[in-house]
CSV table of all heavy atoms in Angstrom, one decimal:
chain,number,residue,atom,x,y,z
P,233,ARG,N,-17.7,18.4,19.6
P,233,ARG,CA,-16.2,18.3,20.0
P,233,ARG,C,-15.6,17.8,18.7
P,233,ARG,O,-16.2,17.3,17.7
P,233,ARG,CB,-16.0,17.4,21.1
P,233,ARG,CG,-16.5,18.0,22.5
P,233,ARG,CD,-16.3,17.0,23.6
P,233,ARG,NE,-17.1,15.8,23.3
P,233,ARG,CZ,-17.2,14.7,24.2
P,233,ARG,NH1,-16.4,14.8,25.3
P,233,ARG,NH2,-17.8,13.7,24.0
P,234,VAL,N,-14.3,17.9,18.7
P,234,VAL,CA,-13.4,17.3,17.6
P,234,VAL,C,-13.5,15.9,17.6
P,234,VAL,O,-13.3,15.2,18.7
P,234,VAL,CB,-12.0,17.8,17.7
P,234,VAL,CG1,-11.2,17.1,16.7
P,234,VAL,CG2,-11.9,19.3,17.6
P,235,ILE,N,-13.8,15.4,16.6
P,235,ILE,CA,-14.1,13.8,16.5
P,235,ILE,C,-13.0,13.3,15.6
P,235,ILE,O,-12.5,13.9,14.6
P,235,ILE,CB,-15.5,13.4,15.8
P,235,ILE,CG1,-16.6,14.2,16.7
P,235,ILE,CG2,-15.7,12.0,15.7
P,235,ILE,CD1,-17.9,14.0,16.0
P,236,THR,N,-12.6,12.1,16.0
P,236,THR,CA,-11.3,11.5,15.3
P,236,THR,C,-11.7,10.1,14.9
P,236,THR,O,-12.4,9.3,15.7
P,236,THR,CB,-10.1,11.4,16.3
P,236,THR,OG1,-9.8,12.7,16.7
P,236,THR,CG2,-8.9,10.8,15.5
P,237,PHE,N,-11.4,9.8,13.6
P,237,PHE,CA,-11.7,8.3,13.1
P,237,PHE,C,-10.5,8.0,12.1
P,237,PHE,O,-10.0,8.9,11.5
P,237,PHE,CB,-13.0,8.2,12.5
P,237,PHE,CG,-13.2,8.9,11.3
P,237,PHE,CD1,-12.8,8.2,10.1
P,237,PHE,CD2,-13.9,10.1,11.2
P,237,PHE,CE1,-13.0,9.0,8.8
P,237,PHE,CE2,-14.0,10.7,10.0
P,237,PHE,CZ,-13.7,10.2,8.8
P,238,ASN,N,-10.3,6.7,12.1
P,238,ASN,CA,-9.2,6.2,11.3
P,238,ASN,C,-9.7,5.9,9.8
P,238,ASN,O,-10.8,5.5,9.6
P,238,ASN,CB,-8.6,4.8,11.8
P,238,ASN,CG,-7.9,5.2,13.2
P,238,ASN,OD1,-7.2,6.2,13.3
P,238,ASN,ND2,-8.0,4.1,14.1
P,239,ILE,N,-8.9,6.2,8.9
P,239,ILE,CA,-9.2,5.8,7.5
P,239,ILE,C,-8.5,4.4,7.3
P,239,ILE,O,-7.4,4.2,7.6
P,239,ILE,CB,-8.5,6.8,6.6
P,239,ILE,CG1,-8.8,8.2,6.8
P,239,ILE,CG2,-8.8,6.5,5.1
P,239,ILE,CD1,-8.2,9.3,6.0
P,240,ASP,N,-9.5,3.5,7.0
P,240,ASP,CA,-9.0,2.2,6.8
P,240,ASP,C,-7.8,2.0,5.8
P,240,ASP,O,-7.9,2.8,4.8
P,240,ASP,CB,-10.2,1.2,6.4
P,240,ASP,CG,-11.2,1.1,7.5
P,240,ASP,OD1,-10.8,1.3,8.6
P,240,ASP,OD2,-12.3,0.9,7.2
P,241,SER,N,-7.0,1.0,6.0
P,241,SER,CA,-5.9,0.9,5.0
P,241,SER,C,-6.4,0.7,3.5
P,241,SER,O,-7.2,-0.2,3.2
P,241,SER,CB,-5.2,-0.3,5.4
P,241,SER,OG,-4.0,-0.5,4.5
P,242,GLN,N,-5.9,1.4,2.6
P,242,GLN,CA,-6.3,1.5,1.2
P,242,GLN,C,-5.2,0.9,0.3
P,242,GLN,O,-3.9,1.3,0.5
P,242,GLN,CB,-6.7,2.8,0.8
P,242,GLN,CG,-7.7,3.5,1.6
P,242,GLN,CD,-9.0,2.8,1.6
P,242,GLN,OE1,-9.6,2.5,0.4
P,242,GLN,NE2,-9.7,2.4,2.7
P,243,GLU,N,-5.4,0.0,-0.6
P,243,GLU,CA,-4.5,-0.4,-1.6
P,243,GLU,C,-4.4,0.7,-2.6
P,243,GLU,O,-5.3,0.9,-3.4
P,243,GLU,CB,-4.9,-1.8,-2.1
P,243,GLU,CG,-4.9,-2.9,-1.0
P,243,GLU,CD,-3.5,-3.3,-0.6
P,243,GLU,OE1,-2.5,-3.1,-1.3
P,243,GLU,OE2,-3.4,-3.8,0.5
P,244,VAL,N,-3.1,1.2,-2.8
P,244,VAL,CA,-2.9,2.3,-3.7
P,244,VAL,C,-1.8,1.9,-4.7
P,244,VAL,O,-0.7,1.4,-4.2
P,244,VAL,CB,-2.5,3.6,-3.0
P,244,VAL,CG1,-2.2,4.7,-4.0
P,244,VAL,CG2,-3.7,4.0,-2.1
P,245,MET,N,-1.9,2.1,-5.9
P,245,MET,CA,-0.9,2.0,-6.9
P,245,MET,C,-0.4,3.4,-7.2
P,245,MET,O,-1.1,4.2,-7.8
P,245,MET,CB,-1.5,1.4,-8.2
P,245,MET,CG,-0.3,1.1,-9.3
P,245,MET,SD,0.8,-0.1,-8.8
P,245,MET,CE,-0.2,-1.7,-8.8
P,246,THR,N,0.9,3.7,-6.9
P,246,THR,CA,1.5,5.0,-7.1
P,246,THR,C,1.8,5.3,-8.6
P,246,THR,O,1.6,4.3,-9.5
P,246,THR,CB,2.8,5.1,-6.3
P,246,THR,OG1,3.8,4.1,-6.8
P,246,THR,CG2,2.4,4.9,-4.8
P,247,GLU,N,2.2,6.5,-8.9
P,247,GLU,CA,2.4,6.8,-10.2
P,247,GLU,C,3.6,6.0,-10.9
P,247,GLU,O,3.5,5.8,-12.1
P,247,GLU,CB,2.7,8.3,-10.3
P,247,GLU,CG,2.8,8.8,-11.8
P,247,GLU,CD,3.1,10.4,-11.7
P,247,GLU,OE1,3.6,10.9,-10.8
P,247,GLU,OE2,2.6,11.0,-12.7
P,248,ASP,N,4.6,5.7,-10.1
P,248,ASP,CA,5.7,4.8,-10.6
P,248,ASP,C,5.4,3.3,-10.5
P,248,ASP,O,6.2,2.4,-10.3
P,248,ASP,CB,6.9,5.1,-9.8
P,248,ASP,CG,6.8,5.3,-8.4
P,248,ASP,OD1,5.7,5.1,-7.9
P,248,ASP,OD2,7.8,5.3,-7.7
P,249,ASN,N,4.1,3.0,-10.3
P,249,ASN,CA,3.7,1.6,-10.3
P,249,ASN,C,4.2,0.8,-9.2
P,249,ASN,O,4.7,-0.3,-9.3
P,249,ASN,CB,4.0,0.8,-11.7
P,249,ASN,CG,3.3,1.5,-12.9
P,249,ASN,OD1,2.2,2.0,-12.8
P,249,ASN,ND2,4.2,1.7,-14.0
P,250,VAL,N,4.1,1.3,-8.0
P,250,VAL,CA,4.5,0.6,-6.8
P,250,VAL,C,3.3,0.4,-6.0
P,250,VAL,O,2.7,1.4,-5.5
P,250,VAL,CB,5.6,1.4,-6.0
P,250,VAL,CG1,5.9,0.6,-4.7
P,250,VAL,CG2,6.9,1.7,-6.9
P,251,PRO,N,2.9,-0.9,-5.7
P,251,PRO,CA,1.7,-1.1,-4.8
P,251,PRO,C,2.1,-0.9,-3.4
P,251,PRO,O,3.0,-1.3,-2.8
P,251,PRO,CB,1.4,-2.5,-5.1
P,251,PRO,CG,2.7,-3.2,-5.5
P,251,PRO,CD,3.4,-2.1,-6.1
P,252,CYS,N,1.2,-0.2,-2.6
P,252,CYS,CA,1.4,-0.1,-1.3
P,252,CYS,C,0.0,0.1,-0.4
P,252,CYS,O,-1.0,0.5,-1.1
P,252,CYS,CB,2.3,1.2,-1.0
P,252,CYS,SG,1.6,2.8,-1.6
P,253,SER,N,0.0,-0.2,0.8
P,253,SER,CA,-1.1,0.0,1.6
P,253,SER,C,-1.0,1.3,2.4
P,253,SER,O,0.0,1.3,3.3
P,253,SER,CB,-1.3,-1.2,2.5
P,253,SER,OG,-1.5,-2.3,1.6
P,254,ILE,N,-1.9,2.2,2.5
P,254,ILE,CA,-1.7,3.5,3.2
P,254,ILE,C,-3.1,3.7,4.0
P,254,ILE,O,-4.2,3.5,3.5
P,254,ILE,CB,-1.6,4.7,2.1
P,254,ILE,CG1,-0.5,4.5,1.3
P,254,ILE,CG2,-1.5,6.0,2.9
P,254,ILE,CD1,-0.2,5.5,0.2
P,255,ASP,N,-2.9,4.2,5.3
P,255,ASP,CA,-3.9,4.4,6.1
P,255,ASP,C,-3.7,5.8,6.8
P,255,ASP,O,-2.7,6.3,6.7
P,255,ASP,CB,-4.3,3.4,7.2
P,255,ASP,CG,-3.1,3.2,8.1
P,255,ASP,OD1,-2.1,3.9,8.0
P,255,ASP,OD2,-3.0,2.3,8.9
P,256,GLY,N,-4.8,6.3,7.4
P,256,GLY,CA,-4.6,7.7,8.0
P,256,GLY,C,-5.7,8.0,9.0
P,256,GLY,O,-6.3,7.0,9.5
P,257,VAL,N,-5.8,9.2,9.4
P,257,VAL,CA,-6.7,9.6,10.5
P,257,VAL,C,-7.2,11.0,10.1
P,257,VAL,O,-6.5,11.8,9.5
P,257,VAL,CB,-6.0,9.7,11.7
P,257,VAL,CG1,-4.8,10.7,11.8
P,257,VAL,CG2,-6.9,10.0,12.9
P,258,VAL,N,-8.5,11.2,10.4
P,258,VAL,CA,-9.2,12.4,10.1
P,258,VAL,C,-9.7,13.1,11.5
P,258,VAL,O,-10.2,12.4,12.3
P,258,VAL,CB,-10.4,12.2,9.1
P,258,VAL,CG1,-11.0,13.5,8.8
P,258,VAL,CG2,-9.9,11.6,7.8
P,259,PHE,N,-9.5,14.4,11.4
P,259,PHE,CA,-10.0,15.2,12.6
P,259,PHE,C,-11.1,16.1,12.1
P,259,PHE,O,-10.7,16.9,11.3
P,259,PHE,CB,-8.8,15.9,13.4
P,259,PHE,CG,-7.8,15.0,13.8
P,259,PHE,CD1,-6.7,14.7,13.0
P,259,PHE,CD2,-7.7,14.6,15.1
P,259,PHE,CE1,-5.7,13.9,13.4
P,259,PHE,CE2,-6.7,13.7,15.5
P,259,PHE,CZ,-5.7,13.4,14.6
P,260,PHE,N,-12.2,16.1,12.6
P,260,PHE,CA,-13.2,17.1,12.2
P,260,PHE,C,-14.2,17.4,13.4
P,260,PHE,O,-14.2,16.7,14.4
P,260,PHE,CB,-14.1,16.5,11.0
P,260,PHE,CG,-15.1,15.3,11.5
P,260,PHE,CD1,-16.4,15.5,11.7
P,260,PHE,CD2,-14.6,14.0,11.5
P,260,PHE,CE1,-17.2,14.7,12.1
P,260,PHE,CE2,-15.4,13.0,12.0
P,260,PHE,CZ,-16.7,13.2,12.2
P,261,ARG,N,-15.1,18.4,13.2
P,261,ARG,CA,-15.9,18.7,14.2
P,261,ARG,C,-17.3,19.4,13.5
P,261,ARG,O,-17.2,19.8,12.3
P,261,ARG,CB,-15.5,19.9,15.2
P,261,ARG,CG,-15.0,21.2,14.5
P,261,ARG,CD,-14.5,22.1,15.6
P,261,ARG,NE,-14.2,23.5,14.9
P,261,ARG,CZ,-15.0,24.4,14.7
P,261,ARG,NH1,-16.3,24.4,15.1
P,261,ARG,NH2,-14.7,25.5,14.2
P,262,ILE,N,-18.3,19.3,14.2
P,262,ILE,CA,-19.6,19.8,13.6
P,262,ILE,C,-19.7,21.3,13.9
P,262,ILE,O,-19.9,21.7,15.1
P,262,ILE,CB,-20.9,19.0,14.3
P,262,ILE,CG1,-20.7,17.5,14.2
P,262,ILE,CG2,-22.1,19.5,13.7
P,262,ILE,CD1,-20.5,17.0,12.7
P,263,ASP,N,-19.8,22.1,12.9
P,263,ASP,CA,-20.0,23.5,13.1
P,263,ASP,C,-21.4,23.9,13.0
P,263,ASP,O,-21.9,24.9,13.7
P,263,ASP,CB,-19.2,24.2,11.9
P,263,ASP,CG,-19.3,25.7,12.1
P,263,ASP,OD1,-18.8,26.2,13.2
P,263,ASP,OD2,-19.8,26.4,11.1
């Protein structure tokens, strides 16, 4: 089935030198 898991918050420095924390979610399945 489609499996969902969270991407842990990542500390990212953007191109314009702004630090921020970004997280997300991934949806995948086994083919």
Side-chain angles (χ1 to χ4, degrees):
R233 293 176 295 182
V234 175
I235 302 173
T236 304
F237 68 86
N238 293 324
I239 304 175
D240 295 335
S241 180
Q242 302 295 308
E243 295 291 336
V244 179
M245 182 67 71
T246 62
E247 190 178 24
D248 50 351
N249 298 323
V250 178
C252 57
S253 299
I254 305 175
D255 59 6
V257 60
V258 178
F259 303 88
F260 72 95
R261 64 180 179 86
I262 305 299
D263 183 59

